[in-house]
Amino acid sequence: MFAQALAIFSLLANSLRLLAIVISVAAFPAYALAAATGEDAYQKLVESLSRISVTTIAQSVQYDADSDVLTIEEGKLSFAGEVSEDTGDTIGEQIVGGMVRKLEFEGQIHFAKCDIEGLNKVGSHYRAMRWTCPTATSLEVDFELDSQLRGTYYFNLQEFETDNLSFELPGSTTLPDNSSVDSWYPLIRRFLFASFNKLTVSSSGSSLFVYAIDGDDEHMILANSSFQKDLELLEAADGRLQHLSFEKQEKEGRLLSLTNSADIQSKKGPSRYEGLDYGALLNLFAPNLEPSLEEQPLLDSASEQDTIFSFGAAPGVWLDINIEVSETHGIAVLQKPVSPLALLSSFLRPQLIGGATGDDGEGTYLTSRVFSFARNFSYPDNKYTGTRFKLTDRNLDAVRRVMVDKIEITGANSNGLNEVAFSGIKAKNLPGGGTATVGGFKISNVEFADYSTLKSVIEAELASPGFSVTNPVEYARGFFPRSLGYELDSLEFLSPGLDPVRIGKANLSLATSVPPIPTSISLKSEDVLFPIALIQDEQVRQILEAVELETIVWSDKAQLDWDEGSEELSLERLMLKVEGLGRVEVSARLANVSKALFEDPIGQGQSAALGAHLVDASLVFHDDGLTTKSLAHIAQQEGIAESEFLEVLVAQAAQVTAPIQNEAFTRLASDAASAFLKDPKRMKITLTPVNPVPITQILGSLAAPQSLPDLLNVNIVAN
C-alpha cells in the first residue's frame, strides 16, 4: 500500500509538472500580446516575472489578427532562485523548529514552436481557446539541497495540445518577497490551479540523477527515468482533474549507497484515473495547516492493465510481479502538514538498509519522512486480477512461480487494514520440487502498532545495534500488530514421490489490550491431512505406523482470553482430534492474572504468573481406537496376552499415584484406569476447588502432595 501511495504521488507530481510547463509556455506569448494590447499590463507582468528570476527569449513571435493565432518559434524561459524552510525537529508528528533547509535551483524550458489561438487577458487571468506545440518541449533543472545533495532533472513532451486553457498569474503585490516556502505557496497554488477542457501529449519522458556531496567528492545515490505514451487529461478546474489516462508507461530506477544498491523497473499498459484531486495534496504543504484526522478525497477510481513490477530483492535474486488488471476506488489523504524540503530530501536520499544514515538522522525507510508521508493515504477498495509472481534466484539456479487469480484489499490505512483476500493461488517449483494450491487465504482485522513506538524502536536499534536482542519485548511492542487474523481454505501441497499434505480450513485470530503479548487467541483447523512418511521423528513415525496409520487427519481449536477488568485468564476447550486415534479437550480458568504478565513477560512475567489463582480445569480424552490399537501392538511386541498386559497397566497406574500418599485418590485413579482400559471410550479429569487456589499454594503443596487431591477437588471419571 505504501508503494502504491508513492506511485499515486508520482502520478500527481507528473501531472503538476505537465501543468507547470504548459502554463509557463502559455504565459510566454502573453508578454508579447500584452505589450501590443496594453503596455501597462505587459510591464507589470515582466516586472513580476523578473522578481522570481524568470527571463524569456524567442527567435520569432508572430501574430495573425485574422485567425487570432500567435506563433512562437525557438522559445526559452530561464529561471533561477532558492527556497528555504525551517523544517525543524519532530516530536511525534509535530514540527518544533530547528533545522533550516535551502534548495537552490536554475533551469530552463525550451520549445521549438507553439501556436496559440484566442489568447486574451482578463484581470489576472489568461485564457486561450487552443494551444498546440507540434514538436518537442523540454524542461531541464539543476538543483542543490543543503549543500549535501546535487541533481539534474530532465522532462520533455512531444506533440501536446490543449483546449480552453485558463490560468492566473497574480499581480506583483502577491509575489514572494523572500525565499521561504510559505511565501511561495500562494503563487504556486494559483499557478497550478489552471483549468482546461482537454490536454493531450503523444509522449513524455523524464530523467533524474542525484548525487551526494562529500566535501570535494560526490557519488550518485539515485538514477531514475520514465516514459509515457498517449497521455490525455480532461476537465481540470479548481485543483481537480476529472480524467487522466495513458496507453503505456515505463519506469526504471537505481538506488545506491556506499555499500549496496537496488534496481527497480516497472511497466504499465492502458491505464485510466478518474477524479484526481491534486488540490488535496497541495493542501498538505499549506502554511499553518491545522492537523486533522479528517480524510480528503484524492482519487475516485483507477484502472491499470498489464502492470509489470521488477526489482532486485537481494544479490543474484530478482522478483517480477505481473498484474493483468488493477482497480482502485476512493483513495483519500489525511490533512497533516508536510515539510516540502524535508520530504524532498527523503525522496532524493532513499534509505537503504545498511546504507549511510541521512543528514536528518533517518537511517531506514521506516523512519523516513517518505514513509511517514505515505502513511497519510488510505485505500478503501482495491482489486488485482491475474497476479503472477516470479522469483529468480541465480545463486541456486532456481525459478519459483506463484499465480493468484484475485487479490482484494479493503480498508487499508496507517492504522491497519480491514482485509486482504487471495483466491485461486497456485505455486510451482517450490523448494524440493513441490507444488501447492490454495483455494483462498485471507488476512483481516489488522491493527498496526503505534507508529511512534515503531519509530522509537528502530531509532534505538540504529543507536545501539543489538537492541532487538537485548530488549525483545520492546522490539516486539514496536513491530507486532495489536490485532491480526487469517483464514485459510483448501490448501494442498504435493512433493515428488509423497502423498499430498492438505488443510481443509484453518483460521487464527489474535488481539491484545496490553502489547505485545496477545490477550485473546482464537484458532481452529479442520481436515488437516499429513502423511506419516513426512514425520521426521523416527520413534513417533514407527508408533503411528504400528497402529496402522498411513496418514494423520486431524482437527483442532482453542480459545484463550484475558479480561483486564476481572483479571481472569480463560482457556476454553483446547481441542485436538486425530481421526482413528481420539480427541483431547482441555479447559482452564485462572484468576488474579495481572497485566504485567503480558506487558513485561520477561521482567515481571514470573512473579505475575505466581500471583495467579487456579479457578478450575479439566482434561477429557475421547478414544477412537488409540488405546485398543496400542495395547494390541505393545502386547504383541512383548509376547504376552492383552488381558495380562491390561493388569500390568492398572497396577502401574496405582504405582504412579502412590507417592501422593492419598489412598482415596489412588483408588479413584486405579478404578478409572481399569474401567477405561477394559472399555476405552472416555476419560475425564477435573479440578474444581471450592475457592480459587493460589499457584504458590499449589507449588508449596508439592512437598506434601497428599493434600493436593482434596485441595483441588480432583475427580477422575472413565466412560
Side-chain angles (χ1 to χ4, degrees):
M1 286 293 97
F2 296 136
Q4 188 174 13
L6 298 182
I8 295 296
F9 178 73
S10 176
L11 175 69
L12 290 172
N14 281 332
S15 301
L16 295 178
R17 272 196 297 268
L18 178 58
L19 285 174
I21 292 178
V22 168
I23 298 166
S24 297
V25 178
F28 188 112
Y31 314 154
L33 183 62
T37 60
E39 188 173 359
D40 290 343
Y42 171 74
Q43 291 298 329
K44 288 182 179 180
L45 186 56
V46 170
E47 291 172 5
S48 297
L49 291 170
S50 298
R51 291 187 63 197
I52 54 175
S53 303
V54 176
T55 60
T56 61
I57 300 174
Q59 187 179 79
S60 172
V61 179
Q62 298 179 359
Y63 177 65
D64 186 332
D66 293 336
S67 62
D68 195 18
V69 173
L70 187 72
T71 300
I72 308 98
E73 295 181 350
E74 298 301 333
K76 184 170 71 172
L77 287 77
S78 300
F79 54 90
E82 67 178 48
V83 182
S84 63
E85 180 186 24
D86 183 352
T87 61
D89 302 316
T90 58
I91 298 178
E93 301 285 345
Q94 299 298 315
I95 300 173
V96 296
M99 178 181 289
V100 176
R101 295 181 183 274
K102 183 171 70 173
L103 173 68
E104 299 174 279
F105 61 89
E106 62 177 358
Q108 63 179 25
I109 297 173
H110 175 266
F111 57 91
K113 179 183 178 181
C114 286
D115 295 319
I116 309 293
E117 179 182 349
L119 185 66
N120 64 83
K121 180 177 183 293
V122 179
S124 60
H125 285 81
Y126 295 84
R127 296 185 174 91
M129 291 177 58
R130 180 172 290 104
W131 165 42
T132 61
C133 291
T135 54
T137 300
S138 63
L139 164 71
E140 179 179 345
V141 179
D142 293 310
F143 61 87
E144 185 172 297
L145 181 62
D146 299 333
S147 301
Q148 296 182 351
L149 296 174
R150 179 186 71 79
T152 300
Y153 177 73
Y154 305 93
F155 186 68
N156 66 82
L157 307 173
Q158 294 287 338
E159 300 177 10
F160 68 74
E161 179 177 341
T162 185
D163 296 330
N164 295 321
L165 173 68
S166 175
F167 61 93
E168 181 183 11
L169 286 179
S172 60
T173 56
T174 62
L175 291 173
D177 56 4
N178 58 61
S179 65
S180 71
V181 169
D182 290 356
S183 296
W184 279 91
Y185 179 81
L187 171 64
I188 294 173
R189 183 179 176 86
R190 289 186 181 184
F191 194 56
L192 294 177
F193 268 45
S195 66
F196 55 81
N197 290 350
K198 181 178 181 180
L199 190 154
T200 60
V201 177
S202 66
S203 66
S204 69
S206 67
S207 298
L208 173 65
F209 303 95
V210 181
Y211 302 83
I213 302 172
D214 185 9
D216 295 330
D217 298 325
E218 63 179 38
H219 63 275
M220 183 180 289
I221 60 173
L222 174 64
N224 183 75
S225 64
S226 68
F227 170 81
Q228 287 181 319
K229 181 177 175 59
D230 295 334
L231 186 66
E232 181 181 68
L233 291 75
L234 300 178
E235 304 299 336
D238 299 324
R240 182 173 175 82
L241 188 63
Q242 290 299 327
H243 170 90
L244 184 151
S245 64
F246 55 80
E247 295 304 307
K248 180 180 179 181
Q249 182 188 79
E250 296 181 0
K251 291 185 177 182
E252 185 171 350
R254 167 167 285 192
L255 314 179
L256 305 100
S257 73
L258 295 176
T259 57
N260 58 12
S261 65
D263 294 311
I264 302 173
Q265 299 175 1
S266 68
K267 296 180 181 181
K268 291 180 182 179
S271 301
R272 307 287 183 268
Y273 306 87
E274 308 295 338
L276 287 88
D277 194 335
Y278 55 85
L281 196 63
L282 287 175
N283 285 342
L284 304 182
F285 304 97
N288 304 315
L289 175 67
E290 290 294 330
S292 171
L293 296 179
E294 180 181 354
E295 292 184 336
Q296 296 294 322
L298 183 64
L299 178 66
D300 291 345
S301 66
S303 175
E304 302 169 340
Q305 298 182 34
D306 303 324
T307 299
I308 301 174
F309 182 73
S310 306
F311 68 94
V317 179
W318 194 263
L319 177 63
D320 297 298
I321 304 174
N322 292 37
I323 307 173
E324 292 180 3
V325 179
S326 305
E327 296 178 272
T328 299
H329 299 276
I331 295 180
V333 61
L334 291 175
Q335 296 298 284
K336 290 184 179 180
V338 176
S339 299
L341 296 189
L343 181 63
L344 177 63
S345 175
S346 287
F347 268 117
L348 299 179
R349 188 191 292 271
Q351 280 73 24
L352 295 171
I353 301 301
T357 298
D359 60 282
D360 49 8
E362 302 183 55
T364 74
Y365 175 69
L366 292 179
T367 58
S368 72
R369 292 180 187 264
V370 177
F371 182 78
S372 180
F373 174 72
R375 292 177 67 252
N376 291 342
F377 296 84
S378 65
Y379 306 84
D381 184 17
N382 308 268
K383 296 182 178 65
Y384 307 92
T385 303
T387 304
R388 302 186 302 278
F389 301 87
K390 176 184 175 183
L391 184 67
T392 303
D393 190 337
R394 297 185 180 92
N395 304 312
L396 302 176
D397 193 24
V399 178
R400 322 289 186 199
R401 299 179 188 273
V402 178
M403 289 76 72
V404 185
D405 290 343
K406 184 180 291 186
I407 303 173
E408 297 185 57
I409 304 174
T410 60
N413 55 47
S414 61
N415 297 319
L417 58 88
N418 179 45
E419 184 176 281
V420 181
F422 305 84
S423 59
I425 305 173
K426 303 178 184 67
K428 297 180 179 180
N429 196 28
L430 298 174
T435 61
T437 60
V438 180
F441 180 70
K442 183 186 300 181
I443 301 173
S444 59
N445 300 322
V446 180
E447 180 185 350
F448 299 141
D450 181 72
Y451 178 63
S452 61
T453 304
L454 167 66
K455 188 174 181 180
S456 65
V457 166
I458 296 176
E459 291 171 346
E461 178 70 24
L462 291 173
S464 178
F467 174 85
S468 59
V469 177
T470 56
N471 299 271
V473 175
E474 288 302 314
Y475 192 78
R477 204 186 318 277
F479 278 92
F480 285 7
R482 300 299 180 253
S483 66
L484 170 69
Y486 77 75
E487 297 179 24
L488 176 67
D489 182 47
S490 302
L491 178 146
E492 181 177 74
F493 178 77
L494 296 173
S495 295
L498 296 173
D499 291 335
V501 175
R502 294 192 180 98
I503 299 177
K505 293 182 181 295
N507 61 67
L508 170 69
S509 177
L510 304 174
T512 181
S513 57
V514 188
I517 306 301
T519 55
S520 177
I521 302 174
S522 177
L523 62 88
K524 184 178 182 180
S525 301
E526 297 179 9
D527 301 325
V528 180
L529 186 148
F530 194 85
I532 299 299
L534 294 178
I535 296 178
Q536 299 296 316
D537 192 308
E538 184 175 353
Q539 186 176 4
V540 172
R541 187 173 65 250
Q542 288 178 351
I543 293 175
L544 294 173
E545 289 173 347
V547 297
E548 302 177 353
L549 282 180
E550 296 182 356
T551 301
I552 296 177
V553 180
W554 87 79
S555 300
D556 59 62
K557 68 177 180 179
Q559 178 71 47
L560 184 144
D561 291 291
W562 176 75
D563 182 76
E564 186 170 3
S566 63
E567 292 192 329
E568 181 175 280
L569 178 66
S570 61
L571 174 63
E572 298 180 10
R573 200 177 183 184
L574 170 64
M575 184 276 288
L576 174 63
K577 175 185 177 182
V578 180
E579 291 186 7
L581 297 181
R583 182 174 82 248
V584 177
E585 299 172 359
V586 178
S587 63
R589 288 191 301 155
L590 296 175
N592 199 40
V593 179
S594 74
K595 183 178 182 179
L597 178 65
F598 306 94
E599 194 170 41
D600 186 14
I602 295 178
Q604 303 181 58
Q606 183 176 355
S607 60
L610 291 175
H613 294 186
L614 176 66
V615 178
D616 55 47
S618 69
L619 183 150
V620 183
F621 174 63
H622 300 266
D623 192 277
D624 189 27
L626 175 62
T627 304
T628 301
K629 294 174 182 178
S630 299
L631 289 176
H633 173 68
I634 297 174
Q636 183 180 11
Q637 281 193 326
E638 297 295 328
I640 60 176
E642 286 189 40
S643 58
E644 295 180 12
F645 187 50
L646 282 174
E647 294 178 0
V648 172
L649 289 178
V650 172
Q652 288 180 348
Q655 293 174 3
V656 169
T657 57
I660 297 179
Q661 300 177 11
N662 186 310
E663 293 185 7
F665 177 70
T666 299
R667 185 164 54 253
L668 177 67
S670 180
D671 291 346
S674 177
F676 178 78
L677 292 171
K678 290 178 181 178
D679 184 17
K681 291 181 181 177
R682 179 175 180 268
M683 175 76 78
K684 182 175 183 180
I685 303 173
T686 60
L687 285 66
T688 55
V690 176
N691 297 304
V693 180
I695 297 298
T696 52
Q697 185 177 354
I698 296 174
L699 295 175
S701 298
L702 294 178
Q706 64 272 16
S707 63
L708 277 175
D710 296 327
L711 176 66
L712 302 178
N713 193 21
V714 180
N715 191 28
I716 306 175
V717 179
N719 302 331

